[in-house]
Amino acid sequence: MIAASELTKRYPGGREALRNVSFTITAGEMVFLTGHSGAGKSTLFRLLAAIERPTTGAILINGQNLASLRRPAIPYLRRKLGLIFQDRKLLFDRSVLDNVLLPLAIVGLPRKEAEHRAQAALAKVGLTGRDQTLPIALSGGEQQRLAIARAVVNRPAILLADEPTANLDTASAGEILAIFRAFQQVGVTVLIAMHEVPSLAGPPVRVLRLEHGELCSESK
Amino acid sequence: MKASVIHHLAALREACRRLLAAPLNCVLSLLVIGIALTLPSAGWLALENLRQATGNASGVQQISLYLALDAGQREIAEIETRLREAGAGRWRFVSRAEALKHLQASEGMAEIIASLPSNPLPDAFVVTPGDSRPAVLESLAASFAGWPKVAHVQLDSAWVQRFDALLRLGKRLVGLLAVLFAGALVTITFTTIRLQILAQAAEIEVAKLVGATDAWIQRPLLHFGVLQGALGGLVAALLVTLGFHLLSPPVGELARLYGADFVLRSLSGLDVAVLAGVGGVLGWVGARLSARLHLRHLE
C-alpha cells in the first residue's frame, strides 16, 4: 500500500513543487497520476522512489515512512519497488540481458538462477531472443519494455513509472500500458505518471490529477 | 553468507576486467607503483645485508676479558660461573698457550715470540653478548671490569656506536622513504579510482536506483585498489630481486678481496608476500578514500 499524507516539497529558493498532497493507493490497484508539465508528477515520483525527501508530510510504502527513512535503508526499499523512468536509464554498453541482470546481481542471486529469471522477465515484455542485443539497437518502445523487464525482474509488489510512454508512437504506448495492466492483474500495485489519461482496455483505473503541486481531483 | 561470497567473487571478476580493459594503462600504473615500493624495500634490504655483513665480522659485537697473569684455574672457573649467571650470551675461553700459538702463526711474529723469555699473553674470554645494543654492551663491559682477576676489558664501543648510529640513520631514511612512497601509492590509487567513478557515473546512478548499496558499488573499486597495489608490490619484488641478482657477483668478489665470505641476501618468499600485502593494504586505503569521497559527490 502507498499512502501520502500532507506531502509538501519545497526546493531551495522557495519554489513549492508539491503542497499538502494526500492520497492512498491500495495493494493491487492501478493509478494514473496526471497533470500538465510542472504540476509536480515527477517530484512526487522522486519522493516515492526515495530519490528526494519531502519537506513536510509522510509517505508510507507498505508501512515504511520514507520521510524518516535512514540513508542506508534506501537501497533495500528500492529493491521492493520497480522503477521505470522517462529516460529509461539503461546501460547502453551492456547487453539487454546484462541490463536485466543488474538488479539480481545487486541482491546476490547466483548467475544461473539470475539468468533464468532475467529471461522470464524479458519474455513477459516480449523481448525473447533479444538478450544479447545492445539497447542502442532497440526501438524506443523496445527500450521502454527493457526498462520494465529490469524493473520487474526482482518481483516487486509496487511498480512506479514516470512518463513511460513519452516519445512513443500510439501503438508502442498501447503495448507498454498493456504490459502494466498485465502486472496489475497479477496483484502488482501500479502508479503511472502521465500527461493525459490514455484509453485502456479492461476495468476502469483511478486517476489522481495534480495542478500546480496540489491534488485537485480524483476520479475513476 | 552465500550472497556475500557471490558479491565478492563478482567484484573481483569486475576488478580484473577493469584492470585488463586498458592493458597499457594497467602496466604503466603497476610500474609506477612498483618503482614507488622498490626504493624503500631495496633500502631496507640493503640495511639488512649491511647488518648481516658486519654481524659476521669478528670483534664487532664481542667483548674480550683479559685476565691477570696470576689468575689460576679456580679464578677462571669463577669467571665462567659469573658469565653464566649474568646471562652474558655465548663465550669462548682462549688460554694463554692457545693465544700464543695463534700469534706465532701470524706472519713475522714467530721470531719475535721465540725471543721472549716467557709467554706474555694472558688467559682471555671472548664474549658474544646476545643483545648487541651499544648501551647493553657497555653496561656488560663495565660489569666485567669489576670482576676479580679481570685485568682488562676490551670493547670497541666507539666503532659499535658509530655503526649503530649509521644503521639508525639508514633505518630512519628508509622509514621516511617508505612513508613518502606509501603516500604516493595511496595517491595513485585514489586518482585511478576517481577516474573510474567519473567514467562510470551513469552506471553507478542506475545501480543505485535499482537498489545497490554503497558497499555494493564500492566493492569492485576496493578489489581493484587491492589488486593493483598487490600486483605493484610484486613488481617491486621483481625489480628488487633483479637488482640484487645484478649486484650479488661484484659484492661477493669485493667481500672475498677483504677475506670475508659474504653472500648478498635477496628477498625471501615471506618478504615478497609482505611487499604484496603492504601494496594491497595501501591500494585499499587509496581506493576506500576515493570511493567514499567521490561517491558522496555523485549523489
Side-chain angles (χ1 to χ4, degrees):
Chain A
M1 190 185 85
I2 304 171
S5 165
E6 302 287 312
L7 212 52
T8 297
K9 177 67 185 177
R10 198 174 298 116
Y11 286 105
R15 189 178 76 84
E16 227 170 32
L18 288 175
R19 193 179 311 121
N20 293 327
V21 173
S22 299
F23 61 86
T24 303
I25 300 171
T26 53
E29 203 178 356
M30 185 164 180
V31 176
F32 281 97
L33 183 67
T34 63
H36 58 79
S37 293
K41 302 187 298 296
S42 293
T43 301
L44 186 56
F45 176 83
R46 284 199 296 274
L47 294 182
L48 291 169
I51 297 168
E52 291 179 13
R53 283 178 192 269
T55 309
T56 57
I59 312 170
L60 296 175
I61 290 188
N62 292 336
Q64 211 169 9
N65 188 356
L66 271 53
S68 58
L69 199 63
R70 290 178 61 242
R71 195 179 162 276
I74 291 173
Y76 299 97
L77 169 93
R78 289 200 186 132
R79 291 177 193 180
K80 294 177 197 161
L81 304 175
L83 301 177
I84 296 130
F85 301 86
Q86 185 177 352
D87 59 356
R88 288 136 203 174
K89 296 205 183 295
L90 299 174
L91 301 175
F92 285 92
D93 59 340
R94 305 276 181 98
S95 68
V96 162
L97 182 66
D98 283 342
N99 269 274
V100 184
L101 282 173
L102 182 65
L104 301 175
I106 287 168
V107 296
L109 208 67
R111 177 84 188 185
K112 207 171 169 183
E113 192 182 338
E115 277 190 19
H116 181 74
R117 270 171 65 170
Q119 293 288 6
L122 286 172
K124 274 182 196 156
V125 298
L127 285 177
T128 305
R130 308 296 300 271
D131 51 340
Q132 294 309 319
T133 312
L134 286 176
I136 197 76
L138 300 178
S139 68
E142 286 173 327
Q143 285 183 7
Q144 197 55 281
R145 281 193 267 156
L146 171 57
I148 296 171
R150 187 185 61 192
V152 300
V153 75
N154 256 339
R155 297 168 184 164
I158 298 170
L159 272 180
L160 302 175
D162 186 19
E163 307 278 2
T165 57
N167 306 320
L168 295 183
D169 57 54
T170 315
S172 298
E175 284 169 14
I176 296 295
L177 292 172
I179 291 170
F180 282 120
R181 174 65 99 183
F183 282 109
Q184 186 240 335
Q185 282 169 347
V186 293
V188 178
T189 310
V190 182
L191 176 65
I192 304 171
M194 291 182 87
H195 280 291
E196 297 296 335
V197 185
S199 57
L200 198 62
V205 292
R206 192 147 65 98
V207 179
L208 302 174
R209 185 163 179 82
L210 280 172
E211 264 181 34
H212 305 295
E214 286 182 274
L215 198 60
C216 64
S217 69
E218 200 170 322
S219 62
K220 275 219 173 182
Chain B
M1 177 68 186
K2 198 178 170 190
S4 167
V5 172
I6 289 170
H7 280 149
H8 278 286
L9 284 177
L12 189 62
R13 206 168 34 238
E14 178 62 18
C16 291
R17 190 189 67 79
R18 288 179 192 178
L19 263 178
L20 297 173
L24 185 64
N25 281 354
C26 168
V27 168
L28 289 177
S29 296
L30 291 184
L31 263 181
V32 171
I33 292 169
I35 291 167
L37 286 172
T38 296
L39 293 172
S41 48
W44 171 80
L45 195 57
L47 282 180
E48 280 297 302
N49 275 294
L50 193 63
R51 197 162 56 185
Q52 194 190 341
T54 49
N56 290 342
S58 67
V60 172
Q61 290 163 354
Q62 290 179 338
I63 305 171
S64 300
L65 280 75
Y66 296 103
L67 305 189
L69 285 172
D70 61 345
Q73 284 305 315
R74 200 168 57 83
E75 285 89 357
I76 292 169
E78 192 189 325
I79 288 177
E80 202 154 5
T81 309
R82 280 175 180 262
L83 283 171
R84 194 172 298 116
E85 284 170 358
R90 288 181 292 114
W91 63 84
R92 185 168 58 88
F93 176 68
V94 181
S95 68
R96 304 174 61 189
E98 195 183 334
L100 189 70
K101 219 158 81 181
H102 272 292
L103 199 60
Q104 277 173 333
S106 305
E107 200 178 319
M109 292 301 286
E111 278 180 30
I112 298 169
I113 299 290
S115 68
L116 294 172
S118 62
N119 182 356
L121 301 176
D123 289 320
F125 280 93
V126 179
V127 180
T128 310
D131 191 338
S132 61
R133 282 177 296 171
V136 176
L137 294 177
E138 278 186 26
S139 158
L140 274 177
S143 148
F144 295 159
W147 291 356
K149 293 297 177 186
V150 173
H152 179 65
V153 176
Q154 188 182 308
L155 163 70
D156 191 357
S157 63
W159 199 98
V160 170
Q161 278 176 348
R162 276 199 294 269
F163 177 67
D164 192 64
L166 198 70
L167 269 185
R168 271 188 282 125
L169 176 68
K171 275 184 189 169
R172 184 65 59 89
L173 279 173
V174 168
L176 281 174
L177 268 181
V179 170
L180 212 65
F181 285 105
L185 195 155
V186 169
T187 309
I188 292 165
T189 315
F190 184 92
T191 311
T192 312
I193 297 298
R194 178 179 157 269
L195 291 175
Q196 281 196 15
I197 290 172
L198 290 178
Q200 291 162 5
E203 187 176 336
I204 290 169
E205 186 201 354
V206 172
K208 277 179 173 263
L209 289 172
V210 296
T213 58
D214 285 350
W216 191 87
I217 292 165
Q218 280 184 28
R219 209 170 282 125
L221 301 171
L222 298 182
H223 277 267
F224 182 91
V226 171
L227 206 60
Q228 185 177 255
L231 288 175
L234 291 179
V235 170
L238 189 73
L239 291 175
V240 170
T241 307
L242 199 67
F244 274 75
H245 273 296
L246 288 173
L247 287 175
S248 197
V251 168
E253 201 177 316
L254 189 69
R256 266 195 303 283
L257 290 174
Y258 277 93
D261 183 22
F262 174 67
V263 181
L264 210 56
R265 182 176 90 80
S266 188
L267 292 171
S268 66
L270 182 67
D271 295 334
V272 174
V274 167
L275 207 50
V278 167
V281 168
L282 291 172
W284 181 86
V285 170
R288 175 97 174 134
L289 286 174
S290 189
R292 278 181 78 98
L293 187 73
H294 297 111
L295 288 177
R296 196 174 299 163
H297 279 192
L298 272 187
E299 299 222 344

